[in-house]
């Protein structure tokens, strides 16, 4: 193509020769104007057609998208209402595509959340009922009714595990609530039911590991269906109940109408109810153990008192045969000694029981304020996210806070566990001390007690530990001034009783003195007489001069709630150990100092008359 006269032409050239002689060239030219016009018209029409098709497609797409997105927007608004706490809304999309399936899933999720809330409300009801009674068996029927109705179940029950005569693990139906179905509480097949021989052997491993068994009965083994189907059960869920780390039994619910799949929120909520039941059983056992210990202690005191009465009567009869006058004097002396022993026991045990009561109160308050229920709340939030956990933890503000919250919650639960463990150990030590007091008083009247070699500062710290909670609660500051002294051989429990009374009296003096700063000073040193001196000083209410000796008399006290037994029994115990107990005070409001002096060597017979008179 070459331009010709400023026009596009198609040019063709061919050489022309004849008889081998080149004559020239033949040129042919064709104008392309018509061709260019045809091509231009074709391009223009094509572009217009394409624009028309694009506009038509856009309009059709917008109309279809509007029709398609409208139900999605309605579904999104519904989910937003559910997330806001309104569980009464339901979707009404009657579709048979993916949106219809999604809408049905939202309805199912909402129903599950609603049942979960009802179950959690029933768990709260159970906790309230359990706390209002000393025996959980008295309220378990109403609790099972509340849980069964909240879970939309037909039967709720509790089985308790036990061993039969052959040592096999068995279970028996103990409590039951039913609605619209036949009760099974009187069914003999559900009493002493062995797990292994009835096809429920795998329940031992599953439930023993604190896992839940749930689902339709039709999917269970033939052996299980043989036991469950005659009861009309279509679906069930069983949650293990653990008491002090031991598998105690199960909490179960039955659905006799439909083949039901139990959701994770329902499982978590029902597990909270089972854990609450286990904790209630532990609390009742602890209360019963304390009551039994108290009854046993009172019984042993009564038995010892009767034994002393018998001994006194026997000696009276023997002495009466020798001489009526001598027998009368011995009777009076022994009766006084017996009353003194009983008074000392009650007073010393009462001091320790005050600390026991404080420890029990702290443990009860810690259990009431425990944050264990926060774990179920976090689990519920995670369960709400469904299968899209990654998006929940990254994009949802609540999910992003969960790891840090769990870390803080773990630290708080560890602190709760440490506090309760510490208080439990302290409670155990105090109960052991009560037993030691009773045991020591039972040996009263023997020639000698049990002596042992021990460090004086250890004795002081043991006494301080038994009063630690009371001192902390009353904001008493303890200062230690221990000098290096050798160990002493002494009746440990008598010295411990004396120190307990002195520290307890100093604590009362500080709290009743009205001073803003409550200080107690403990000293250990060797006195100038070659004896060991143990001092307890306070900055409390002080002692008037005329009472410095009267405070050791039997029954004398200046405190409204006092009995006048502690210092008197302490002075007698110090004399029995070959030592002395001295009181010093500069006057009212100036505090007081009590000094216990003990011999540094072992005396041969500390209970002999010569040793006591020293």
């Amino acid at each position: 193509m070459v331009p010709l006269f400023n026009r596009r032409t198609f040019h063709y050239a061919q050489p022309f020769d004849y008889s081998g002689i080149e004559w020239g060239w033949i040129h042919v030219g064709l104008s392309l104007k018509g061709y260019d016009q045809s091509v231009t018209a074709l391009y223009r029409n094509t572009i217009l057609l394409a624009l028309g098709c694009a506009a038509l497609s856009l309009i059709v797409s917008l109309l279809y998208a509007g029709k398609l997105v409208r139900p999605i927007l309605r579904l999104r608004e519904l989910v937003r209402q559910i997330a806001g706490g309104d569980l009464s809304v339901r979707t009404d999309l009657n579709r048979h595509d993916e949106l219809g399936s999604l809408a049905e899933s939202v309805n199912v999720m909402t129903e599950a959340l609603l049942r979960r809330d009802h179950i959690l409300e029933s768990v709260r009801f159970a906790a309230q009922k359990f706390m209002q009674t000393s025996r959980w068996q008295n309220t378990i029927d109403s609790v099972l009714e509340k849980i069964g109705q909240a879970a939309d179940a037909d039967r709720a029950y509790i089985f308790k595990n036990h061993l039969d005569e052959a040592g096999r693990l068995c279970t028996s139906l103990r409590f039951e609530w039913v609605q619209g179905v036949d009760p099974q509480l009187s069914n003999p097949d559900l009493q002493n039911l062995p797990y292994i021989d009835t096809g429920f052997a795998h329940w031992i491993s599953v439930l023993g590991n604190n896992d839940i068994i749930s689902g339709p009965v039709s999917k269970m083994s033939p052996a299980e269906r043989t036991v469950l189907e005659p009861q009309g059960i279509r679906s069930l869920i069983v949650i293990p109940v653990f008491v002090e780390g031991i598998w105690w039994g199960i909490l179960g619910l039955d659905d006799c109408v439909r083949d039901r799949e139990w959701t994770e929120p329902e499982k978590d909520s029902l597990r909270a109810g089972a854990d609450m039941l286990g904790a209630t059983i532990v609390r009742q056992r602890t209360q019963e153990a304390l009551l039994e210990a108290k009854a046993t202690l009172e019984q042993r005191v009564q038995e010892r008192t009767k034994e002393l009465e018998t001994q006194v009567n026997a000696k009276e009869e023997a002495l009466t045969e020798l001489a009526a006058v001598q027998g009368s004097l011995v009777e009076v002396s022994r009766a006084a000694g017996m009353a003194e022993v009983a008074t000392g026991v009650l007073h010393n045990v009462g001091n320790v029981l005050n600390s026991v009561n404080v420890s029990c109160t702290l443990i009860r308050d810690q259990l009431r304020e425990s944050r264990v229920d926060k774990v179920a709340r976090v689990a519920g939030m995670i369960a709400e996210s469904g299968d899209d956990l990654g998006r929940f933890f990254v994009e949802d503000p609540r999910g992003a806070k969960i790891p840090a919250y769990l870390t803080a919650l773990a630290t708080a639960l560890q602190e709760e566990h440490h506090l309760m463990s510490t208080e439990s150990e302290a409670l155990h030590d105090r109960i052991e001390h009560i037993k030691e007091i009773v045991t020591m008083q039972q040996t009263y009247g023997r020639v000698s007690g049990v002596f042992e070699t021990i460090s004086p500062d250890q004795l002081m710290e043991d006494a301080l530990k038994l009063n630690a909670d009371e001192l902390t609660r009353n904001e008493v500051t303890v200062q230690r001034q221990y000098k290096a002294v050798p160990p002493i051989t002494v009746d440990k429990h008598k010295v411990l009783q004396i120190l307990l009374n002195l520290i307890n009296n100093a604590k009362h003096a500080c709290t009743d003195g009205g001073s803003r700063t409550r200080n107690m000073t403990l000293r250990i040193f060797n006195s100038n007489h070659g004896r060991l001196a143990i001092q307890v000083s306070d900055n409390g209410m002080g002692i008037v001069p005329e009472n410095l000796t009267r405070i050791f008399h039997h029954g004398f006290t200046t405190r409204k709630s006092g009995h006048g037994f502690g210092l008197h029994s302490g002075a007698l115990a110090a004399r029995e150990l070959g030592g002395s107990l001295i009181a010093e005070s500069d006057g009212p409001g100036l505090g007081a100092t009590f000094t216990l002096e003990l011999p540094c060597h072992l005396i041969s017979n500390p209970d002999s008359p010569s040793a006591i008179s020293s």
Side-chain angles (χ1 to χ4, degrees):
M1 291 182 296
V2 296
L4 183 62
F5 303 113
N6 293 327
R7 296 181 180 178
R8 294 177 68 252
T9 60
F10 179 80
H11 177 250
Y12 177 76
Q14 176 68 34
F16 176 71
D17 59 356
Y18 181 74
S19 299
I21 300 173
E22 183 176 343
W23 291 89
W25 291 77
I26 297 176
H27 295 273
V28 179
L30 179 63
S31 176
L32 296 177
K33 179 179 180 181
Y35 173 78
D36 290 340
Q37 291 177 348
S38 298
V39 171
T40 301
L42 178 62
Y43 285 164
R44 182 176 62 254
N45 294 335
T46 302
I47 292 173
L48 292 176
L49 180 60
L51 291 176
C53 291
L56 180 61
S57 299
L58 179 61
I59 295 173
V60 173
S61 299
L62 290 176
L63 293 176
Y64 182 74
K67 181 178 180 182
L68 184 63
V69 171
R70 194 175 299 111
I72 297 178
L73 295 177
R74 288 210 317 269
L75 189 59
R76 185 186 67 175
E77 180 62 26
L78 181 72
V79 172
R80 186 173 298 169
Q81 293 179 14
I82 294 174
D86 187 3
L87 301 180
S88 62
V89 297
R90 297 292 185 274
T91 178
D92 56 354
L93 293 179
N94 295 322
R95 302 171 65 101
H96 301 286
D97 54 3
E98 290 79 0
L99 282 178
S101 300
L102 181 59
E104 181 63 25
S105 300
V106 170
N107 287 338
V108 172
M109 178 193 68
T110 306
E111 290 291 342
L113 291 176
L114 188 60
R115 283 197 298 270
R116 183 206 63 181
D117 288 351
H118 290 166
I119 294 174
L120 289 177
E121 175 62 23
S122 67
V123 173
R124 186 200 64 79
F125 173 80
Q128 182 179 4
K129 285 293 185 180
F130 288 152
M131 292 299 296
Q132 291 175 351
T133 181
S134 59
R135 289 184 56 81
W136 62 270
Q137 295 90 340
N138 297 336
T139 60
I140 191 61
D141 291 335
S142 60
V143 170
L144 288 178
E145 179 182 2
K146 191 74 172 181
I147 293 177
Q149 292 176 348
D152 194 18
D154 301 306
R155 183 184 292 116
Y157 46 85
I158 292 178
F159 278 81
K160 182 180 179 181
N161 294 338
H162 58 87
L163 297 177
D164 61 4
E165 297 178 354
R168 298 177 303 175
L169 182 62
C170 301
T171 188
S172 297
L173 180 61
R174 290 289 182 258
F175 302 95
E176 180 190 38
W177 167 85
V178 296
Q179 178 177 264
V181 296
D182 295 332
Q184 300 294 324
L185 192 59
S186 59
N187 187 351
D189 294 335
L190 300 182
Q191 302 297 325
N192 302 317
L193 180 67
Y195 285 97
I196 296 179
D197 297 340
T198 55
F200 293 88
H202 75 283
W203 284 31
I204 298 177
S205 59
V206 175
L207 298 176
N209 290 328
N210 202 15
D211 293 328
I212 295 176
I213 296 176
S214 66
V217 175
S218 59
K219 296 182 180 180
M220 296 184 178
S221 65
E224 293 172 312
R225 293 202 303 269
T226 302
V227 178
L228 300 176
E229 288 179 347
Q231 304 175 43
I233 302 175
R234 297 283 298 275
S235 178
L236 60 76
I237 180 172
V238 289
I239 307 97
V241 177
F242 278 81
V243 175
E244 296 180 332
I246 299 175
W247 180 29
W248 178 87
I250 61 175
L251 168 66
L253 291 94
D254 294 342
D255 193 322
C256 301
V257 178
R258 60 190 185 278
D259 294 338
R260 175 177 176 180
E261 292 289 349
W262 302 83
T263 63
E264 290 301 324
E266 291 175 332
K267 293 179 182 179
D268 294 336
S269 302
L270 292 173
R271 183 186 291 277
D275 293 341
M276 176 65 66
L277 176 59
T280 301
I281 296 174
V282 172
R283 178 177 62 86
Q284 180 172 317
R285 286 184 178 180
T286 303
Q287 292 177 346
E288 292 175 350
L290 291 175
L291 293 175
E292 182 179 357
K294 178 181 178 182
T296 302
L297 178 61
E298 293 177 349
Q299 181 180 0
R300 293 179 64 179
V301 171
Q302 293 176 357
E303 291 176 353
R304 183 55 183 160
T305 303
K306 292 180 180 180
E307 182 180 349
L308 290 174
E309 291 176 351
T310 302
Q311 293 176 0
V312 170
N313 293 334
K315 196 162 187 178
E316 285 178 1
E317 293 177 359
L319 293 176
T320 302
E321 295 177 357
L322 296 176
V325 176
Q326 183 181 6
S328 176
L329 293 176
V330 171
E331 178 182 1
V332 172
S333 175
R334 296 299 293 180
M338 182 181 65
E340 194 170 64
V341 169
T343 301
V345 170
L346 294 176
H347 182 77
N348 292 322
V349 169
N351 286 339
V352 182
L353 282 178
N354 287 333
S355 299
V356 170
N357 183 53
V358 172
S359 294
C360 291
T361 302
L362 289 175
I363 293 175
R364 182 186 61 190
D365 294 343
Q366 192 63 38
L367 288 174
R368 185 184 298 115
E369 298 173 1
S370 177
R371 299 182 178 90
V372 174
D373 58 332
K374 302 298 188 301
V375 177
R377 186 177 301 174
V378 172
M381 293 175 59
I382 295 176
E384 290 178 6
S385 65
D387 297 330
D388 197 5
L389 288 178
R391 182 174 177 270
F392 174 72
F393 283 113
V394 173
E395 299 180 5
D396 194 315
R398 299 176 304 165
K401 296 179 181 178
I402 285 179
Y405 179 76
L406 289 178
T407 301
L409 182 60
T411 302
L413 291 178
Q414 288 175 354
E415 293 176 356
E416 291 179 3
H417 181 268
H418 175 71
L419 177 60
M420 287 191 286
S421 298
T422 302
E423 289 301 327
S424 299
E425 289 295 329
L427 183 61
H428 177 268
D429 293 342
R430 288 161 184 147
I431 293 178
E432 286 295 321
H433 184 60
I434 291 176
K435 294 167 61 178
E436 291 170 353
I437 291 174
V438 176
T439 302
M440 185 193 70
Q441 296 296 349
Q442 287 178 333
T443 61
Y444 180 82
R446 296 187 300 176
V447 175
S448 62
V450 177
F451 277 59
E452 55 184 295
T453 302
I454 190 170
S455 174
D457 56 349
Q458 181 180 346
L459 276 172
M460 183 71 85
E461 291 299 321
D462 288 343
L464 193 61
K465 181 170 64 174
L466 291 173
N467 281 285
D469 294 330
E470 284 289 314
L471 295 174
T472 302
R473 187 167 62 87
N474 289 279
E475 301 180 351
V476 178
T477 303
V478 178
Q479 300 178 355
R480 298 172 175 81
Q481 298 179 3
Y482 299 165
K483 292 187 177 181
V485 296
I488 59 172
T489 303
V490 71
D491 190 335
K492 168 185 174 182
H493 300 297
K494 285 187 178 181
V495 177
L496 194 60
Q497 286 184 31
I498 298 173
L499 296 179
L500 278 173
N501 285 325
L502 295 181
I503 293 175
N504 189 53
N505 288 342
K507 182 262 296 182
H508 284 293
C510 289
T511 55
D512 296 339
S515 176
R516 292 186 177 181
T517 59
R518 302 171 180 177
N519 297 324
M520 180 187 302
T521 304
L522 308 179
R523 303 183 183 91
I524 299 177
F525 57 94
N526 286 322
S527 65
N528 297 329
H529 307 291
R531 292 190 169 200
L532 173 70
I534 302 177
Q535 283 187 348
V536 178
S537 302
D538 63 78
N539 65 340
M541 58 190 304
I543 306 173
V544 296
E546 57 267 28
N547 288 340
L548 287 176
T549 56
R550 296 176 60 195
I551 57 177
F552 296 105
H553 293 174
H554 186 277
F556 179 82
T557 182
T558 58
R559 202 167 68 242
K560 293 182 179 180
S561 59
H563 304 287
F565 305 142
L567 289 177
H568 174 69
S569 62
L572 292 180
R575 291 174 57 189
E576 292 171 2
L577 295 171
S580 61
L581 184 60
I582 304 172
E584 299 173 284
S585 177
D586 293 333
L590 299 177
T593 299
F594 286 82
T595 304
L596 171 64
E597 289 191 353
L598 297 173
C600 296
H601 60 280
L602 175 65
I603 57 179
S604 59
N605 190 352
D607 290 332
S608 63
S610 61
I612 295 177
S613 63
S614 66

